[in-house]
Amino acid sequence: MTTQRKARGAYSVGQATRESILSAAMVLIAERGYNGFSLRDLGRRVGISHPAVVYHFPSKEAILRSAIQRHEEMNALFDVSINEEAEGGFDEGGITAGSFVDWAVGEMRFAMKPGADAAIALDCVLWAESSSETHPAHAHYKYRTQQMEEALTAMIHNFVEEEGADIGTTPRTLAKILIRYWYGSVVSARYNDEPIEFVADFLAVCVQLLRLPAHYVLQLGASVPEEVAEVYARTLRKISEKTTAAAEVAAPEATA
């Protein structure tokens, strides 16, 4: 009995240490980039020795893969699992959202999770860094960006077909704009925003750019779980603010 308790205690301590290392690594990568930190830096940040870090994560690439997987688990937009034998180090299962509503609700859930700010910042830094073919996350982020573009293009195309909407451009071009706006907004949000405000603002811009009708927004509201109601409420407020601002800009033009 005593031996079993000790084993369980050791396992719990080991898991806690691993979680501390991973959390610190996500923050360090967001602060310095993948090439800007060492495993020794990570050990100092956590308050443990370099060998203790290596025990849990034998290389920087190993901790990078775990950090990416943790971000994807939190975001829940992509089905990703580590596979060191696969190209890029991951088995890529594709995007999980099947509609704008699924996608928007998923981002709202993401914004409410502890550590979302670090995860969003990590994703932004790695998305920019890994444009280099020599970066160990290049294959994953190339795949991720392509999948986001394809999924958003299909969603926008379906919306245009169903609603007869005029979005002012092609579905693919608008999909690319939304992806760029997301990552550009992440950079801006790091100066003065929190994830809840950032995600609410992004979703409000999506509504504006897609010219979503009221019933789409109401459909989103009907699908919003109670735990993310705060983000949804902030999104509605942002939509109202942007609509009012657009009307104020248009009013002088109409009377000119």
Side-chain angles (χ1 to χ4, degrees), residues 6 44 52 61 96 127 153 215 240 244 251:
K6 285 183 179 179
R44 284 191 288 269
E61 285 198 22
T96 59
W127 184 74
T153 298
H215 72 266
S240 177
T244 301

Side-chain angles (χ1 to χ4, degrees), residues 21 24-25 28 37-47 53 63:
I21 295 170
L28 268 179
F37 83 100
S38 68
L39 296 184
R40 282 188 168 80
D41 293 331
L42 187 52
R44 284 191 288 269
R45 178 68 65 97
V46 178
V53 175
I63 202 159

Side-chain angles (χ1 to χ4, degrees), residues 92-234:
E92 305 279 11
I95 199 163
T96 59
S99 68
F100 280 125
V101 172
D102 292 342
W103 179 56
V105 171
E107 295 302 343
M108 290 180 189
R109 282 200 175 101
F110 184 29
M112 295 295 292
K113 291 180 179 178
D117 50 350
I120 291 172
L122 169 89
D123 177 52
C124 179
V125 168
L126 290 179
W127 184 74
E129 280 190 344
S130 62
S131 60
S132 168
E133 293 184 357
T134 61
H135 195 284
H138 177 76
H140 171 69
Y141 273 91
K142 181 178 180 179
Y143 173 85
R144 192 181 199 278
T145 302
Q146 290 172 342
Q147 287 293 301
M148 286 178 68
E149 182 181 322
E150 292 301 323
L152 283 171
T153 298
M155 291 176 190
I156 295 167
H157 175 77
N158 291 339
F159 167 70
V160 170
E161 289 290 309
E162 291 169 4
E163 299 295 324
D166 177 15
I167 58 173
T169 186
T170 66
R172 187 168 296 278
T173 297
L174 186 51
K176 290 178 179 180
I177 289 170
L178 289 174
I179 293 170
R180 291 165 187 166
Y181 186 84
W182 170 269
Y183 282 108
S185 295
V186 172
V187 175
S188 297
R190 294 187 72 183
Y191 288 100
N192 54 17
D193 261 346
E194 57 181 322
I196 292 175
E197 288 295 334
F198 156 65
V199 171
D201 186 67
F202 175 74
L203 293 175
V205 168
C206 288
V207 169
Q208 188 177 41
L209 291 179
L210 291 166
R211 304 175 188 178
L212 293 178
H215 72 266
Y216 255 76
V217 179
L218 291 174
Q219 180 188 0
L220 176 59
S223 304
V224 167
E226 185 177 348
E227 69 267 21
V228 297
E230 180 183 354
V231 188
Y232 179 65
R234 294 190 186 204

